[in-house]
Amino acid sequence: NIAPGHIATQSSIAHGGHPLRAIDGRTNGQWNHGTCTHTVTRTGSWWKVDLVNDFQVKKIVIHSLINYGKTWINGAKVLAGEKLCGIVKYDYKAGKSVYPFECDVLTSAVSIQQNSIYLILCEVEILATAETVIKHQG
């Protein structure tokens, strides 16, 4: 997981849900443990991590709430750079809270976009191959 230690931003902050919480390495999934992000209610919410350098991102794993509000992640778009890696589909019967997405793209940023309600992320893991790190020059 290459996400921890990088800079995360999001469209807004509500209830103390700072964007860095999504890359703190804690996959707990319970809001009251202080490990989840939270935006204000609006369409067009987003979260983004700047990886500074290009990485060959193989997989992005989203950890959402496991208690109240766990359906709010439904419909969120997962992007590596400009590539859409997938859209979260909440499984009402299974009560799913972990969503893996295969990407395999060279990028320096990962983002999550939500157009229907709050965006709450409890962890975003970014899995990349170490041998393909490319430093930006300039």
Side-chain angles (χ1 to χ4, degrees), residues 27-39:
T27 60
N28 180 282
Q30 293 187 20
W31 173 257
N32 60 347
H33 288 193
T35 66
C36 303
T37 70
H38 198 309
T39 63

Side-chain angles (χ1 to χ4, degrees), residues 64-65 67-75 90 92 99 114 117:
S64 68
L65 289 167
N67 45 10
Y68 78 94
K70 58 188 171 187
T71 63
W72 296 340
I73 194 70
N74 192 50
Y90 177 74
Y92 294 91
Y99 304 90
Q114 179 60 288
I117 196 164

